[in-house]
Amino acid sequence: MPGERTKYAWRREILATRAAVGPAEHAREASALAATAALLAGADEVVCAYVPTKTEPGDLRMLDALRERGATVLLPVTGEPGPLSWAHYAGADSLRPARFGLLEPITETLPPPVVAEAATILIPALAVDRRGVRLGRGAGYYDRTLGAASAGARLIAVVRDVELVVELPEEPHDHRMGWALTPEAGLSELGDPRARAAE
């Protein structure tokens, strides 16, 4: 069963597969993700997102598409382990190199509770399963952050299509995603809608 594999084994396999994705394929997938992202938010909505690294699906076009729709885009600012702080994305020129090889905004840093203003949260993931269980890199920043999100916020894991899988290992502190965003399938709802309706 896939769920019997460890998180470490999943991470190792997915990172190796991502490293083998060529520039042309990465660019094609990034373009597709940007096209779907443009439909995720309207004017004056707050979207918490992130800057994909070189091997993660997507690129700055995803963020620019949201801004072009009039959304306010907030990006994470990493510090010591704990909930993420945020800052406004104002285009590529507003970014600087930061910890862990990331790019972060040079704009004013906002406190972690601002995540509660987001209607949509795009979340980096190595994989997500059909139940909504997300596999991250293991640092726990998002697990510490998402508890402060609005109950109505759309939690969307951004992955490649092959990274939307049947079952992943789950731990009690894991926050389940409601949707997956992939290049080919676009936005896919996760979990059992009937179970959510009964909550």
Side-chain angles (χ1 to χ4, degrees):
M1 292 288 292
E4 294 173 352
R5 296 166 60 188
T6 66
K7 287 187 174 183
Y8 174 80
W10 277 105
R11 289 186 182 110
R12 182 176 59 185
E13 179 180 327
I14 293 167
L15 289 171
T17 301
R18 283 186 174 183
V21 175
E25 179 70 4
H26 186 274
R28 185 191 66 77
E29 291 183 348
S31 178
L33 288 170
T36 304
L39 307 176
L40 296 179
D44 302 322
E45 287 189 1
V46 175
V47 178
C48 285
Y50 64 98
V51 180
T53 64
K54 290 181 179 179
T55 60
E56 289 177 328
D59 59 21
L60 291 182
R61 285 176 287 180
M62 187 166 61
L63 308 181
D64 292 333
L66 289 164
R67 288 185 70 223
E68 287 167 8
R69 289 288 295 243
T72 296
V73 179
L74 302 180
L75 301 180
V77 177
T78 56
E80 296 304 315
L84 291 163
S85 297
W86 301 88
H88 287 91
Y89 173 64
D93 292 341
S94 71
L95 301 174
R96 64 183 172 197
R99 304 174 71 186
F100 311 119
L102 303 175
L103 293 174
E104 294 179 354
I106 59 176
T107 53
E108 179 186 1
T109 299
L110 305 173
V114 77
V115 72
E117 299 178 14
T120 298
I121 305 175
L122 297 177
I123 301 163
L126 291 174
V128 66
D129 73 19
R130 294 288 179 181
R131 303 170 299 160
V133 177
R134 167 184 168 267
L135 178 70
R137 290 181 178 264
Y141 281 100
Y142 279 92
D143 289 322
R144 296 183 181 98
T145 299
L146 294 176
S150 166
R154 291 191 295 180
L155 305 183
I156 303 175
V158 183
V159 294
R160 303 181 69 232
D161 287 84
V162 296
E163 296 162 357
L164 176 53
V165 301
V166 174
E167 186 179 350
L168 290 166
E170 183 176 25
E171 297 180 48
H173 62 265
D174 292 336
H175 285 267
R176 288 197 180 191
M177 305 291 100
W179 289 264
L181 175 60
T182 66
E184 298 294 337
L187 192 65
S188 300
E189 191 168 11
L190 305 174
D192 184 347
R194 294 169 299 179
R196 283 197 295 273
E199 289 179 354

